[in-house]
């Protein structure tokens, strides 16, 4: 075998199916096909799994943030600067394809301190590169404070949120991720909610818990490719809200609770469902740090929970820079991944390799 200008009788097998995996040497078509079937041949359709974390705030009295940073999901380590949102924004939502991350809604402020006003802005970035976000279009209304998002590789759906003048909304609207433009009405939620958890496969989007007039335990789902109202899926182990904002799922298993709080306390709970079936959630394990209003993202294998607000005793809260991870296919507690460039909460996450995208 001729590998790297050296003749050898012990060639090194290709390292994997990601676009940047090594496969140095001269290979026959039969060998390449064999490695491809085994999931070991580099493929341009399989980008390096990358998670982005965007927006948020650092303290109750600080200005909103426009920071976007990224990590490589397959390796542990600290965040790296990616670019900036089009405005200083907290409590925004996100969904993504394998190439593009889309951020929407939230509370935006042009400069200075304060929480700002709810916006209908949709913005996007190309995940494989770095740089600032660009305008995508507008939501159907400025009623997306703390919304959820689900997506396939084609379509992204905004789910719920809050209009400060009206209250929590049951609105869902969608965009085609590969193009730009305004969103289109998708249908209505069976239970209006904000600050909910979300996960998806390539066909089904799930939203769990959240807040309306009270904390919710309901899990509801939609078929992403077909506009329509949500349907009851089951229930969480307990009523939860202010959990991690972002999609965490493999192609078959969805994480429907990742930290957050119940009516009284910050909790470390992690719960999951099998996306293709309906039913109540099942205990997965616990986060190593109990946080609320963190950001999340995942590959088809690994889920991340980043930052958030931790109760440090009494009425004192602190924004964290900690990133924790779980292996979605196996139960257990989270493990330290690294640190964000900026400790913050009320932000969102997106990735190019969650369970709704081609693996």
């Amino acid at each position: 075998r001729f590998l790297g200008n050296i003749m050898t009788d012990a060639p090194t097998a290709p390292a994997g199916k990601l676009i940047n995996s090594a496969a140095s040497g001269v290979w026959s078509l039969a060998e390449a096909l064999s490695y491809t079937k085994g999931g070991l041949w580099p493929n341009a359709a399989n980008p390096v799994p990358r998670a982005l974390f965007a927006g948020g705030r650092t303290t109750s009295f600080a200005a909103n943030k426009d920071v976007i940073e990224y990590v490589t999901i397959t390796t542990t380590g600290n965040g790296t600067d990616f670019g900036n949102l089009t405005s200083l924004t907290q409590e925004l939502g996100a969904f993504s394809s394998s190439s593009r991350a889309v951020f929407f809604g939230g509370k935006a402020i042009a400069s200075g301190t304060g929480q700002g006003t709810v916006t209908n802005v949709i913005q996007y970035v190309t995940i494989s590169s770095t740089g600032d976000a660009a305008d995508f279009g507008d939501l159907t209304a400025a009623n997306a404070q703390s919304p959820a998002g689900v997506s396939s590789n084609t379509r992204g759906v905004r789910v719920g949120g809050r209009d400060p003048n009206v209250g929590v909304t049951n609105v869902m609207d969608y965009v085609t991720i590969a193009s730009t433009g305004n969103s289109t009405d998708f249908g209505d939620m069976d239970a209006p909610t904000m600050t909910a958890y979300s996960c998806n496969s390539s066909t089904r989007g799930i939203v769990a818990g959240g807040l309306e007039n009270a904390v919710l335990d309901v899990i509801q789902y939609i078929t992403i490719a077909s506009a329509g109202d949500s349907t009851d899926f089951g229930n969480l182990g307990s009523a939860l809200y202010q959990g991690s904002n972002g999609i965490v799922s493999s192609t078959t298993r969805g994480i429907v609770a990742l930290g957050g709080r119940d009516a009284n306390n910050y909790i470390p709970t992690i719960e999951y469902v099998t996306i293709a079936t309906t039913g109540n959630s099942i205990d997965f394990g616990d986060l190593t740090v109990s946080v609320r209003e963190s950001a999340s993202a995942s590959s088809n294998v690994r889920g991340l929970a980043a930052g958030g607000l931790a109760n440090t005793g009494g009425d004192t809260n602190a924004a964290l820079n900690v990133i924790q991870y779980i292996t979605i296919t196996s139960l257990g507690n989270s493990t330290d991944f690294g640190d964000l460039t900026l400790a913050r909460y009320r932000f969102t996450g997106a990735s190019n390799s969650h369970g709704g995208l081609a693996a």
Side-chain angles (χ1 to χ4, degrees), residues 8-322:
T8 175
D9 61 359
T12 302
K17 64 182 180 180
L18 300 180
I19 188 173
N20 69 334
S21 299
S24 301
V26 179
W27 304 92
S28 70
L29 292 176
E31 289 170 325
L33 178 61
S34 176
Y35 282 119
T36 298
K37 289 181 177 179
L40 292 173
W41 193 257
N43 189 328
N46 296 317
V48 177
R50 175 179 280 191
L52 307 184
F53 301 112
R57 65 187 309 172
T58 55
T59 71
S60 298
F61 303 103
N64 297 336
K65 300 299 178 182
D66 62 1
V67 172
I68 309 173
E69 61 184 283
Y70 74 93
V71 297
T72 300
I73 301 175
T74 50
T75 58
T76 57
N78 299 333
T80 301
D81 182 64
F82 184 96
N84 299 100
L85 296 169
T86 58
S87 63
L88 305 172
T89 311
Q90 65 162 314
E91 298 177 89
L92 67 169
F95 45 67
S96 54
S97 68
S98 58
S99 59
R100 180 177 281 187
V102 180
F103 307 110
F104 52 88
K107 283 186 174 181
I109 183 169
S111 61
T113 60
Q115 295 188 10
T117 56
V118 175
T119 177
N120 66 347
V121 169
I122 310 172
Q123 50 192 301
Y124 74 98
V125 296
T126 300
I127 299 175
S128 61
S129 61
T130 57
D132 296 341
D135 182 65
F136 186 101
D138 295 317
L139 296 171
T140 55
N143 57 0
Q145 176 188 349
S146 298
V150 295
S151 62
S152 65
N153 203 28
T154 304
R155 174 179 284 185
V157 184
R158 180 276 291 238
V159 184
R162 176 176 177 268
D163 181 334
N165 298 315
V166 178
V168 179
T169 180
N170 66 351
V171 169
M172 295 185 285
D173 46 17
Y174 74 94
V175 299
T176 300
I177 299 175
S179 60
T180 57
N182 297 337
S183 66
T184 302
D185 181 64
F186 185 94
D188 295 324
M189 303 182 70
D190 180 56
T193 187
M194 63 180 289
T195 70
Y197 308 82
S198 62
C199 61
N200 53 245
S201 65
S202 59
T203 56
R204 178 177 282 187
I206 295 175
V207 174
L211 182 68
E212 191 193 4
N213 296 319
V215 185
L216 303 176
D217 68 351
V218 65
I219 308 173
Q220 44 197 319
Y221 76 95
I222 59 171
T223 301
I224 297 172
S226 304
D229 297 342
S230 69
T231 302
D232 182 66
F233 185 98
N235 297 99
L236 295 170
S238 60
L240 303 170
Y241 75 116
Q242 288 188 340
S244 203
N245 189 304
I247 297 165
V248 179
S249 56
S250 68
T251 55
T252 58
R253 175 177 286 182
I255 303 300
V256 289
L258 194 60
R261 65 190 302 183
D262 57 20
N264 301 305
N265 303 300
Y266 294 26
I267 56 171
T269 190
I270 309 171
E271 300 177 20
Y272 77 95
V273 295
T274 300
I275 299 173
T277 62
T278 57
N280 297 337
S281 63
I282 300 170
D283 181 64
F284 184 99
D286 292 313
L287 293 173
T288 56
V289 181
S290 297
V291 294
R292 66 176 173 91
E293 298 179 290
S294 59
S296 57
S298 78
S299 66
N300 194 31
V301 175
R302 177 177 283 184
L304 307 181
L309 200 64
N311 191 313
T312 56
D315 294 325
T316 304
N317 295 295
L320 300 180
N321 67 349
V322 173

Side-chain angles (χ1 to χ4, degrees), residues 76 286-288 303-304 322-326 333-338:
T76 57
D286 292 313
L287 293 173
T288 56
L304 307 181
V322 173
I323 308 173
Q324 312 174 56
Y325 79 92
I326 58 171
N333 298 334
S334 68
T335 302
D336 182 66
F337 183 94

